[in-house]
Amino acid sequence: MPSVLLSLVSWNSADSIEACLRSALAQSWSDFELWVVDNNSHDDTCARVEALAATDSRLRLHRLPQNTGFCGGHNYALDRTTSDLVLLVNPDIEMAPDYLAQAIAAIHRNPRIGTVCGLLLQNQDVDPRIDSAGMVALPDGRYGLRLHGQRLSEVAPLAATYVDGADGALPLFRRRFIDDLRVQGEFFDSRFFAHKEDWDIAWRGRLFGWHTLFEPACRALHPRQFLPSNLRLRRRLNSAIKVDAVKNQWLLLLKNTTREQAPGLLARAIPRQLGILAYSLVAERDSLRAVRYLWQHWRQVLTTRRLVQQRASQPWQPPDEPSAHLPAQPATALEVESSVR
């Protein structure tokens, strides 16, 4: 039986953390540890976690003295554990009781599966809207949420299929995948802090030869609110988040674009990025800090690029474990209808 870690990063998550943790602790696959890494919350998140931890020894709270973001919080847990599998859990998630069991069964269908993602629903309506069914890579270096906003009845029946990546809200990772994707010791690039880091993992995973499997039997509730491509919402966001949205897209392109991809991908990406830069000059000048950041750190970014591209040039190596084979089935054009977050 593989060892499993559930890693949850919290920051002022008191409004949702209890429901999330109760759904995690009620999983039919019960042999796991659940780490809550708190990023210096100022509400009563930690008190709520501690109250539940007193009733279940699988739950442990780790308090950090400062906010290290989604990336830093999960890296903290990943760097201090050795479990075979890791399920990342957003604090606003509520899992069906068999989510973990279904995901574990799915990841062992093929040793090349590094990630399993499930069907995330926005609400509990009779015919709910879909939040995500994995991610799809877009031609300009962005990723979109598959089937986002569609009614479940509009797309059913859904089948297990390989997709381009997993949304960061509730992916199950194989430990060997985590270790293979580390660059300069980090799984998540801490420079991303808390935005588009799942795009980075998806892109790097594909470069390194891993598969992501969407398994619709894994279901959870995720009432997503953060869609910074929505300009009306974007105007209300903290300026640091908007800076990350710009900076991280450039980091993605600089680190992960291969020489073979560069002509077509950059021809599509550069016009959009120039438009974002123009918008920043006119209406969102704080986001120009992304330009300053890259100017100050270009040597480090190029070093990361060299390491990523060097690993991408090497073949994928199978793990030392037998497993049944699930043939790759790329998503059809109808399945990849998506909304970019």
Side-chain angles (χ1 to χ4, degrees), residues 50 65 111 210 308:
E50 287 173 334
W210 291 93
V308 170

Side-chain angles (χ1 to χ4, degrees), residues 39-252:
N39 270 321
N40 195 26
S41 291
H42 301 301
D43 62 5
D44 64 343
T45 295
C46 291
R48 292 170 185 256
V49 175
E50 287 173 334
L52 280 174
T55 69
D56 196 313
S57 61
R58 295 173 298 173
L59 175 56
R60 297 174 59 185
L61 173 65
H62 298 259
R63 295 174 182 250
L64 301 186
Q66 62 185 15
N67 188 353
T68 63
F70 180 96
C71 296
H74 282 302
N75 281 344
Y76 175 92
L78 296 176
D79 294 346
R80 290 163 175 79
T81 56
T82 59
S83 58
D84 297 336
L85 303 172
V86 179
L87 181 71
L88 304 192
V89 184
N90 267 23
D92 57 351
I93 283 282
E94 292 182 45
M95 289 182 277
D98 63 346
Y99 187 101
L100 182 58
Q102 294 280 5
I104 291 172
I107 206 166
H108 289 295
R109 295 176 191 170
N110 182 346
R112 202 156 183 163
I113 297 173
T115 311
V116 170
C117 57
L119 179 63
L120 305 186
L121 302 172
Q122 292 183 345
N123 52 54
Q124 296 177 318
D125 295 349
V126 174
D127 186 17
R129 291 195 181 275
I130 295 172
D131 176 60
S132 71
M135 298 194 301
V136 58
L138 302 179
D140 61 356
R142 294 178 296 153
Y143 278 75
L145 299 174
R146 292 182 64 242
L147 310 179
H148 177 77
Q150 296 189 42
R151 293 285 184 186
L152 186 58
S153 62
E154 297 171 350
V155 299
L158 294 171
T161 188
Y162 287 106
V163 294
D164 293 331
D167 173 61
L170 197 58
L172 179 70
F173 293 134
R174 194 187 295 266
R175 175 67 66 165
R176 187 174 177 277
F177 170 83
I178 292 170
D179 291 341
D180 190 25
L181 263 65
R182 289 181 182 273
V183 178
Q184 295 171 300
E186 292 189 326
F187 177 64
F188 286 114
D189 187 333
S190 57
R191 292 171 296 198
F192 280 63
F193 193 74
H195 186 51
K196 298 183 181 176
E197 73 294 322
D198 48 359
W199 297 12
D200 187 42
I201 294 301
W203 196 337
R204 204 177 335 141
R206 295 175 71 206
L207 284 179
F208 292 6
W210 291 93
H211 296 328
T212 297
L213 180 70
F214 164 68
E215 174 49 75
C218 302
R219 297 199 175 191
L221 178 67
H222 187 224
R224 184 186 305 268
Q225 298 177 351
F226 180 47
L227 289 166
S229 58
N230 181 324
L231 289 181
R232 191 184 336 180
L233 171 62
R234 187 180 181 94
R235 294 189 186 101
R236 301 199 302 267
L237 293 175
N238 180 284
S239 63
I241 296 175
K242 291 184 281 191
V243 172
D244 282 341
V246 177
K247 167 179 64 69
N248 293 351
Q249 183 63 56
W250 295 346
L251 285 172
L252 281 165

